[in-house]
Amino acid sequence: MALADLQDSTRNDDGIATAISILKQRFGEQLQTSQALREQHAHTTTYIPAQLPDAVVFARSTEEVQSVVRVCAEHKVPIIPFGTGTSLEGGVNAPAGGICIDLQQMDKVLAINTEDLDVTLQPGVTREALNVELRDKGMFFPIDPGANASLGGMAATRASGTNAVRYGTMRDNVINLTVVMPDGSVVKTANRARKSSAGYDLTRLMVGSEGTLGIITEMTLKLYGIPENISAGVCQFPSVDAACNTTIAAMQIGLPMARIELLDTLMVQAVNNYSKLGFAEAPMLMLEFHGTDAGVAEQTAMFNEIASEFGGSEITWVSSVEERNRLWKARHDAYPSMLAFRPGAQGIATDACVPISRLAECMAETVEDVERLGLVAPIVGHVGDGNFHVSPLVMMDDADEVARAEEMIERLNLRTIAMDGTCTGEHGIGQGKRRFLKLEHGTGVDVMAAIKRGIDPDNIMNPGKVVSL
Amino acid sequence: MALADLQDSTRNDDGIATAISILKQRFGEQLQTSQALREQHAHTTTYIPAQLPDAVVFARSTEEVQSVVRVCAEHKVPIIPFGTGTSLEGGVNAPAGGICIDLQQMDKVLAINTEDLDVTLQPGVTREALNVELRDKGMFFPIDPGANASLGGMAATRASGTNAVRYGTMRDNVINLTVVMPDGSVVKTANRARKSSAGYDLTRLMVGSEGTLGIITEMTLKLYGIPENISAGVCQFPSVDAACNTTIAAMQIGLPMARIELLDTLMVQAVNNYSKLGFAEAPMLMLEFHGTDAGVAEQTAMFNEIASEFGGSEITWVSSVEERNRLWKARHDAYPSMLAFRPGAQGIATDACVPISRLAECMAETVEDVERLGLVAPIVGHVGDGNFHVSPLVMMDDADEVARAEEMIERLNLRTIAMDGTCTGEHGIGQGKRRFLKLEHGTGVDVMAAIKRGIDPDNIMNPGKVVSL
């Protein structure tokens, strides 16, 4: 078994050459073919080798995207949408070449509807840029995958992250999308009503479709009022199991925590080193509570009671906004922290997500594998969702170690699926998890293929990702 | 313009006769063709005339549904799934005849996962039956469309109702579905993890597809702990506008109300008469708050403060569980209350849902139309979602009155769409709203048709509903 399942693809060399010459004439300097730029646009954050597009077009409007798509549709040329390139599963690779459409210049916030708590924007706006724009309006957008990803990319991947336990994922927070379809038509998936029973849920179909059904060029997202009280802190535990069981108990009584993030001892060490923090070297939950003053006081009292039953410490609060930001920055820097922890190694992301009742068991069996196979693999997890990332740090030139990592990952994904969970809680399928999609969804993959065939019969939209035709 | 947009359909008489003879042999008494039974299975709750299926099969398992579908697929015979027959838009009509699959006997709760707060069940379980089963486990399923509908039907229609303002709709509360597809294959749309990025969101595609893509034969739903404190009451206002504006303000500060239902004066009169209540004849909000004792006290104090700014009364609480049940029973009986209010009239359901900032304006313009056109049309609304039902009570033998009702409804749906809303917040498209789906979704309807064509190329699944092929 190979780590990545890269599809063999036949290049349509003539079509690509023709499309580039037409687009070059139309887009001038907005189209680039330099090696450096093409490499940058096939950059992946993980171990998956880069596969370069033939050209990159920097689009500035829905009409420009439409124009590129029409040319590519006519000549049956692959199109790969690009946000910030933080995909973990090879989402921006171009296995059959083609045209990358870079959407980063479509970065305008178009309308903030304070009364309806929603915002309409272009897909190149990043989550951090959006929150800067919202701050003085007393609102925020909660979904936070760590990386400062583009919101279009986050929708395409059905991203989530630290706040999902309370605010849901991109699935729950996208109100509508404007999408350029494979035939060049433009579809708005819904209006701005908060609910609708009008036909098939095109919004949810596009969210998580990873650019394989169309290109998002505009979107409306839910916003939330900044809570009166935001309190963050950490709580340390004698074991990962104790931290898991505390999480499970807190979720089961319905405590509305805004963030509950697990770090195992190895990850605490890595974060301590990288972010110059001084946490005790023990499993830890990083926590955040949102609400009124009274509500947060009530939540935290209940949390402390549960944690103490499992041998957890009282919550150590971070008092200032700066300290809070520093805490979450350290959490977001988990990935570079890990890489710094074992210099020269490559981190291989995994993304198990199981029903919360199986979380402790799933993690314990995985840790057993890691130990048995002699791997170095820190764990960080959005444990309130039953989602955790165990990331083997692998010396890629050591074939034996790579094989051991492969075994661990294979067993993890199979274990997760067997426990009624998913091989990917938030990273997506891309190229990296196509094989596991089949194991997880069985006949469902045929339905996905029927949808793909119905909407993109020539397979020009981000081919080689999610489903095969 | 006609009220309903019933598709002209060509019957496949030979195929239907063959399928019935095969199925009769296989299913014996489980297959019925009596006029009375067929009429009962095409019963619609609204003005849309019944179109009968040729036979009804009472299915008892996924395998039996699969068996019926395979026969119908082979002979290209329409299949109409039936839950409790409470569709408001002709969802169970059989415009081209065919086989109705009655799922009411598939009424088993298969597994309650207390630790994961979820339940797996068959589609014929009704929401009331589920909540009776859950009560002694301290959990409940919140989605409540009023009618004691089957949960399969609620998923198929993307139903919501009074609790959606806090708990979301069926879109948000279905974890996975088992679906018999048009080719007879069985697909499980997801596992039990609370989130997933594994491929296209088949769960959300099936939710709201109204039986046109497949038949739901099993499902897993989210559950919630019964709150420590449930407080319900009513608040009366000098005008519908004041009640709307109170709702908007409460939503905007993020008050987590569990129910906030508007009744206009006419509806209060109708409910008073039908349910023997003695409310003042003035616009009213029926309210429910869920939380801890302290949390509910805090929420209600904030609500009272807002309501008083708009001239609302203090909340009048209902103190006992019996009184609370009586209050919500009265709300659920809005439809028979209206019919009793104007004996002999037919109630025509509408289902406008707009961004909440437009709610007061949308309702005011609609009331102007109702008055100008001399109609009797009480209003009830899930106003926290921006969703309201104004229901003209029409003497169907009075052509002039029917025409005036048509004008009002036409203008309402166009107004709703123009205000960035939807013509159906929760009832679905069925046959009744197909024309408005096109006005609302434009090119999106082509994508819906491409999906339908990809999954059900012979158009055997509930044909004539939602999209045309």
Side-chain angles (χ1 to χ4, degrees), chain A residues 27 52 88 131 136 187 210 220-221 227 256 437 461 463:
Chain A
F27 285 95
L52 278 51
L88 291 166
N131 280 321
D136 67 351
V187 166
E210 304 189 29
T220 302
L221 304 174
L437 182 70
M461 284 290 170

Side-chain angles (χ1 to χ4, degrees), chain A residues 375-412:
Chain A
L375 295 165
V376 182
I379 295 175
V380 66
H382 314 304
V383 280
D385 303 325
N387 186 201
F388 67 97
H389 310 296
V390 49
S391 306
L393 302 172
V394 182
M395 295 303 178
M396 297 302 276
D397 53 4
D398 178 342
D400 180 66
E401 188 174 336
V402 170
R404 282 179 281 127
E406 284 171 356
E407 181 182 339
M408 191 280 277
I409 293 170
E410 172 89 2
R411 285 172 55 86
L412 170 64

Side-chain angles (χ1 to χ4, degrees), chain A residues 48-161:
Chain A
I48 298 178
Q51 296 170 309
L52 278 51
D54 294 278
V56 180
V57 178
F58 294 85
R60 292 178 303 206
S61 67
T62 298
E63 292 68 30
E64 286 190 356
V65 172
Q66 203 175 14
S67 168
V68 177
V69 170
R70 283 194 175 136
V71 171
C72 289
E74 192 181 339
H75 299 282
K76 304 205 194 313
V77 168
I79 302 162
I80 303 96
F82 185 94
T84 56
T86 49
S87 162
L88 291 166
E89 295 292 352
V92 298
N93 259 346
I99 311 295
C100 171
I101 303 187
D102 184 313
L103 298 150
Q104 288 183 93
Q105 295 178 17
M106 292 181 64
D107 62 352
K108 304 213 174 25
V109 174
L110 302 171
I112 298 175
N113 301 297
T114 313
E115 288 191 298
D116 294 316
L117 292 169
D118 68 40
V119 60
T120 299
L121 42 73
Q122 293 183 313
V125 177
T126 65
R127 64 171 186 86
E128 286 180 6
L130 174 60
N131 280 321
V132 167
E133 183 122 358
L134 292 173
R135 201 168 296 152
D136 67 351
K137 297 192 166 56
M139 297 184 293
F140 76 115
F141 181 70
I143 313 302
D144 173 2
N148 185 23
S150 69
L151 290 156
M154 285 169 61
T157 317
R158 205 181 297 125
S160 48

Side-chain angles (χ1 to χ4, degrees), chain B residues 315-368:
Chain B
I315 299 171
T316 309
W317 297 105
V318 297
S319 47
S320 67
V321 175
E322 290 68 34
E323 273 188 87
R324 192 172 81 219
N325 290 343
R326 190 157 163 248
L327 179 73
W328 292 118
K329 172 103 174 54
R331 165 63 190 86
H332 286 152
D333 285 341
Y335 190 70
S337 304
M338 287 191 299
L339 295 184
F341 191 70
R342 196 175 182 210
Q346 178 87 60
I348 302 180
T350 67
D351 190 23
C353 186
V354 292
I356 201 160
S357 66
R358 309 299 296 273
L359 177 64
E361 186 187 355
C362 187
M363 216 179 289
E365 289 183 19
T366 306
V367 168
E368 264 178 44

Side-chain angles (χ1 to χ4, degrees), chain B residues 41-115:
Chain B
H41 282 80
H43 170 77
T44 57
T45 319
T46 47
Y47 62 95
I48 299 178
Q51 296 171 308
L52 277 52
D54 293 279
V56 179
V57 177
F58 294 85
R60 292 177 303 206
S61 67
T62 298
E63 292 67 31
E64 287 190 356
V65 172
Q66 205 176 11
S67 167
V68 177
V69 170
R70 283 193 175 137
V71 171
C72 289
E74 191 180 339
H75 299 282
K76 302 202 196 316
V77 168
I79 302 162
I80 303 96
F82 185 94
T84 56
T86 49
S87 161
L88 290 166
E89 296 293 350
V92 297
N93 259 344
I99 310 295
C100 172
I101 303 187
D102 184 312
L103 299 150
Q104 289 184 92
Q105 295 178 18
M106 291 180 66
D107 62 352
K108 302 207 179 27
V109 174
L110 303 170
I112 298 175
N113 302 296
T114 313
E115 287 192 301

Side-chain angles (χ1 to χ4, degrees), chain A residues 115-116 158 160 186 189 191-192 195-197 199-200 204 212 252 292 298 357 385 387 420-421 424 441 443, chain B residues 115-116 158 160 186 189 191-192 195-197 199-200 204 212 252 292 298 357 385 420-421 424 441 443:
Chain A
E115 288 191 298
D116 294 316
R158 205 181 297 125
S160 48
V186 175
T189 59
N191 287 346
R192 283 202 303 114
K195 66 181 192 185
S196 169
S197 284
Y200 305 158
R204 249 53 56 185
T212 63
Q252 281 165 356
T292 60
E298 196 174 46
S357 65
D385 303 325
N387 186 201
D420 225 350
T424 176
H441 275 280
T443 50
Chain B
E115 287 192 301
D116 294 316
R158 204 182 295 127
S160 48
V186 175
T189 59
N191 288 347
R192 282 202 305 114
K195 66 181 194 186
S196 168
S197 284
Y200 305 158
R204 249 53 56 184
T212 63
Q252 282 166 356
T292 60
E298 195 173 46
S357 66
D385 303 326
D420 226 351
T424 177
H441 274 280
T443 49

Side-chain angles (χ1 to χ4, degrees), chain A residues 235 237-238 242 245-246 249-250 253 301-313:
Chain A
C235 183
F237 290 86
N245 284 320
T246 297
I253 63 158
M302 289 165 93
F303 183 88
N304 274 329
E305 200 174 305
I306 296 167
S308 75
E309 281 173 38
F310 293 98
S313 65

